[in-house]
Amino acid sequence: ILVQQKDYAGALDVLQKAAVQDLRNPLAYIELAELCLGFNQAEAKVKDTARELAKTLLVKAGDLQPNNPLTLQRLADGYMYVGLSDKASAVYVQLVERFPQLPGVRERLIDIYLSQEDKDKAWAQLESILKDIPTNLRAHYLMGSLAYDANDMAAARDHFKKVLILNPDFEQAYYDLAGTHINLAERNSDEAEGAKEARQALEVLERARSKFKERFI
């Protein structure tokens, strides 16, 4: 009610009093933390204090070791929102191991690994997604990008091709695919194979040129 009235200082005071109670219920702490994260229009000092209080509440919830998958997912999402990515990834890993079919969990875990530049772990999770859902466009695109960064152009090419099969309107994938063909053309010791890759790069670019409006790229 106080948040709706924009009395953020009063609302924060209520939440601080609630936070020191011995609730012994992880979901109660999580719900209080979520209330703390709703101070979007508060002044910076109050908003920052509420965010720090949310961190404290989420840690209290984690210390109670919840088992319910939906509670765990809310806990991990909260950790991620307040920047406790290591705690978030630990909970997401637990969820993936215990409830592998829970939607969205692997994707959030991948986002954390990518933000931490842990490409090997991200790759492993992407492989698991494609094993279950071979038509997952985002997984193919991310694997193509990771393979490109690792200089595995053949793997990157194959993933970008699948992206365009799944979504022919994904413009950036045309340029990424052409880039893999160009790299393979330059590196190929077999002149004929190199020329073939170069022709394929031009074909991909021509497809993009005819499909999308003309612009710098």
Side-chain angles (χ1 to χ4, degrees), residues 27 30-31 34 58 69-79 95:
L27 187 57
I30 292 168
E31 289 177 344
E34 290 171 348
L58 289 167
L70 297 179
T71 301
L72 284 168
Q73 188 164 0
R74 285 175 70 176
L75 176 62
D77 291 347
Y79 280 150
L95 283 167

Side-chain angles (χ1 to χ4, degrees), residues 128-147:
S128 296
I129 287 176
L130 289 178
K131 184 177 179 181
D132 294 335
I133 311 171
T135 57
N136 188 301
L137 185 145
R138 183 171 184 263
H140 278 298
Y141 186 73
L142 287 175
M143 289 190 80
S145 299
L146 289 172

Side-chain angles (χ1 to χ4, degrees), residues 82-141:
V82 299
L84 298 174
S85 56
D86 288 340
K87 287 184 176 295
S89 61
V91 178
Y92 285 136
V93 167
Q94 182 183 347
L95 283 167
V96 166
E97 290 173 349
R98 292 177 54 199
F99 310 99
Q101 301 306 317
L102 201 63
V105 174
R106 289 188 189 278
E107 288 79 1
R108 289 182 177 88
L109 190 54
I110 289 164
D111 288 338
I112 291 174
Y113 289 148
L114 290 174
S115 69
Q116 296 174 339
E117 297 191 1
D118 194 336
K119 296 178 180 179
D120 290 339
K121 287 183 179 179
W123 183 274
Q125 292 301 324
L126 287 164
E127 283 186 323
S128 296
I129 287 176
L130 289 178
K131 184 177 179 181
D132 294 335
I133 311 171
T135 57
N136 188 301
L137 185 145
R138 183 171 184 263
H140 278 298
Y141 186 73

Side-chain angles (χ1 to χ4, degrees), residues 166-179:
L166 293 167
N167 183 5
D169 295 324
F170 192 160
E171 184 177 358
Q172 183 58 43
Y174 286 88
Y175 311 130
D176 294 330
L177 176 57

Side-chain angles (χ1 to χ4, degrees), residues 168-210:
D169 295 324
F170 192 160
E171 184 177 358
Q172 183 58 43
Y174 286 88
Y175 311 130
D176 294 330
L177 176 57
T180 64
H181 284 305
I182 292 167
N183 274 276
L184 288 166
E186 291 173 342
R187 299 175 187 187
N188 207 310
S189 57
D190 185 319
E191 188 174 335
E193 286 297 316
K196 180 181 177 182
E197 292 286 352
R199 284 195 303 273
Q200 288 178 331
L202 287 170
E203 289 170 6
V204 171
L205 291 171
E206 285 296 341
R207 283 164 56 198
R209 191 180 201 176
S210 64

